Amino acid sequence: MKRVAILGATGSIGRQALEIVAANDDLDVCALAAGSQPLDGLAASFPDALTQVGGDLRDVLDASRPDLVLNAVVGFAGLPATLWALETGTDLALANKESLVAAGELALEAWERGGGRLLPVDSEHSAVFQCLEGRSAESVRSLVLTASGGPFRGRARTALEHVTPEDALAHPTWRMGPKITVDSATLANKGLELIEAHFLFGFAYDDIEVIVHPTSIVHAIVRFRDGAALAHLGYPDMRVPISYALTYPHRAPTPVPALDLAAGLTLEFEPPDLDAFPLLSLAREAGERGGTYPCVFNAANEVAVAAFLDGRLPFLGIADVVESALVDVDGRRARDLAELEEADADARRATENQLAAVWP
Ligand code: NAD
Ligand code: MG
């Protein structure tokens, strides 16, 4: 029996994970945690689980000592739990990409010290992880992450001036929480995923490509030195990567249907429009600069997305304020969690100041 702590249990990933656990006799929930909504209904279904709402989620992890942590908290708030799992050598199923992006080398050092498994839940990274399994590093040439392109794919920059939060929340292929849905509309999500892939798999940024693939059937491609390319295909359904991370190294059945190839399957790919969606280039730049620049990118983006959803910032303003934060905030390397939290706070302050100055 694998005892799993589900952090972010009330969210989109958290609820799908609970569905997987409930259907699997080898998995049990030992802890449930969320940010604010009450957990009552969920707690009643898992009476043996310890619960926590808000506060420092390391408390419920210390108390429940899980075999595996599913971190499905949204945003930088997930960082302490990610570091707890990596440091203690507890297997970590990571949906909370923001924590790995922000912590970067600090997280990798904790992972090395702890020695547990780091299992990606993000669909593209789960796909890469599966395509890389059992391959020698020297045989692999590069990675390709696919992006749906979001609801505004194909629009020119000028056609994005007046889009509303409601427009941005209408994602064509995935049903997700609001923050990642807006990130998918700006392509900041793919930017975060680029940095996530760099840290998870150790590839240079030049060797990680992003390609737009509107139907989200191909989740990632790994290119090998002999010219072969392995792709991971499936319907866009997060229960597949969640189940793989929770049941690794086994592969449990899920209710997700097999791909219906006879129904006809057209796979289209196109390059991302970096002029309309500059956050993807900004993320690549932040990643290449290293230090705490990815943390600054993430923090500024979190603040900007919240402001956009509040109606305080236009859609195109999200990239503008992130770009300014990357200029204004010092991205020197953080030596510990305290310095990283300082970089995050500096970036948030700079972004709020920028918001107040330009969009009062
Ligand atoms: P969501 O908004 O649906 O849920 C977020 C969860 O985090 C909620 O349970 C909320 O209570 C909790 N939370 C928020 N702030 C918290 C805090 N300060 N402390 C503790 N808990 C807090 O989000 P989601 O769509 O499920 O996404 C969760 C994470 O998974 C994100 O990092 C996202 O990028 C990643 N992810 C999601 C999907 C998806 O399909 N939804 C796909 C890939 C990756
Ligand atoms: Mg993804």
Side-chain angles (χ1 to χ4, degrees):
M1 185 67 85
K2 202 186 276 181
R3 298 169 61 255
V4 185
I6 311 261
L7 311 181
T10 56
S12 159
I13 294 289
R15 287 180 184 277
Q16 293 177 83
L18 288 169
E19 184 192 320
I20 299 288
V21 173
N24 191 316
D25 291 340
D26 299 325
L27 300 174
D28 191 22
V29 180
C30 65
L32 285 167
S36 51
Q37 302 103 316
L39 280 170
D40 307 340
L42 295 178
S45 313
F46 301 95
D48 298 333
L50 300 181
T51 59
Q52 184 175 337
V53 176
D56 186 338
L57 298 188
R58 287 174 296 193
D59 294 344
V60 78
L61 295 174
D62 278 329
S64 61
R65 290 274 148 191
D67 299 315
L68 181 138
V69 176
L70 170 71
N71 190 351
V73 169
V74 60
F76 188 78
L79 178 65
T82 288
L83 292 179
W84 184 95
L86 294 174
E87 198 74 65
T88 58
T90 308
D91 288 354
L92 172 62
L94 185 68
N96 178 245
K97 65 192 88 183
E98 295 94 339
S99 57
L100 185 60
V101 167
E105 276 104 23
L106 279 185
L108 296 188
E109 288 160 18
W111 183 19
E112 196 165 325
R113 283 193 297 271
R117 286 178 176 137
L118 176 44
L119 302 159
V121 171
D122 219 343
S123 54
E124 298 77 3
H125 304 71
S126 177
V128 168
F129 182 80
Q130 291 174 55
C131 291
L132 284 176
E133 268 185 291
R135 318 285 163 188
S136 68
E138 68 270 17
S139 70
V140 182
R141 185 179 289 162
S142 62
L143 310 180
V144 183
L145 304 177
T146 55
S148 72
F152 306 137
R153 181 180 61 85
R155 291 207 202 177
R157 185 177 164 82
T158 47
L160 295 174
E161 266 163 31
H162 303 294
V163 297
T164 64
E166 200 187 17
D167 300 330
L169 289 173
H171 196 277
T173 53
W174 296 98
R175 295 282 152 270
M176 314 177 284
K179 194 263 178 179
I180 183 176
T181 305
V182 174
D183 284 349
S184 301
T186 62
L187 290 199
N189 181 51
K190 216 47 59 177
L192 293 169
E193 291 185 354
L194 174 70
I195 301 172
E196 180 187 16
H198 165 79
F199 287 120
L200 276 174
F201 306 116
F203 282 74
Y205 287 99
D206 279 344
D207 295 331
I208 312 173
E209 191 184 332
V210 171
I211 196 85
V212 173
H213 167 53
T215 49
S216 305
I217 296 292
V218 176
H219 300 121
I221 299 166
V222 173
R223 297 182 193 271
F224 292 84
R225 64 179 170 191
D226 59 0
L230 291 190
H232 180 291
L233 279 70
Y235 291 119
D237 190 318
M238 287 306 295
R239 291 175 300 180
V240 177
I242 293 170
S243 175
Y244 194 66
L246 295 184
T247 63
Y248 184 86
H250 307 293
R251 202 184 270 276
T254 74
V256 178
L259 264 188
D260 184 355
L261 300 171
L265 195 59
T266 313
L267 302 179
E268 291 170 307
F269 301 92
E270 66 196 41
D273 178 348
L274 300 175
D275 180 51
F277 305 103
L279 280 154
L280 180 54
S281 314
L282 289 170
R284 190 177 280 279
E285 243 175 82
E288 278 167 352
R289 286 166 83 181
T292 50
Y293 284 109
C295 172
V296 171
F297 173 89
N298 176 67
N301 182 59
E302 284 189 33
V303 171
V305 168
F308 168 68
L309 287 172
D310 270 4
R312 288 192 289 139
L313 181 68
F315 184 77
L316 292 174
I318 301 174
D320 293 342
V321 297
V322 171
E323 187 170 11
S324 322
L326 287 168
V327 172
D328 295 345
V329 182
D330 177 17
R332 149 163 29 99
R333 193 177 189 288
R335 282 164 300 185
D336 53 29
L337 179 57
E339 287 189 4
L340 187 65
E341 286 174 338
E342 210 175 297
D344 172 79
D346 285 349
R348 282 170 200 271
R349 225 173 0 253
T351 310
E352 288 291 0
N353 289 342
Q354 172 81 5
L355 282 174
V358 184
W359 290 277

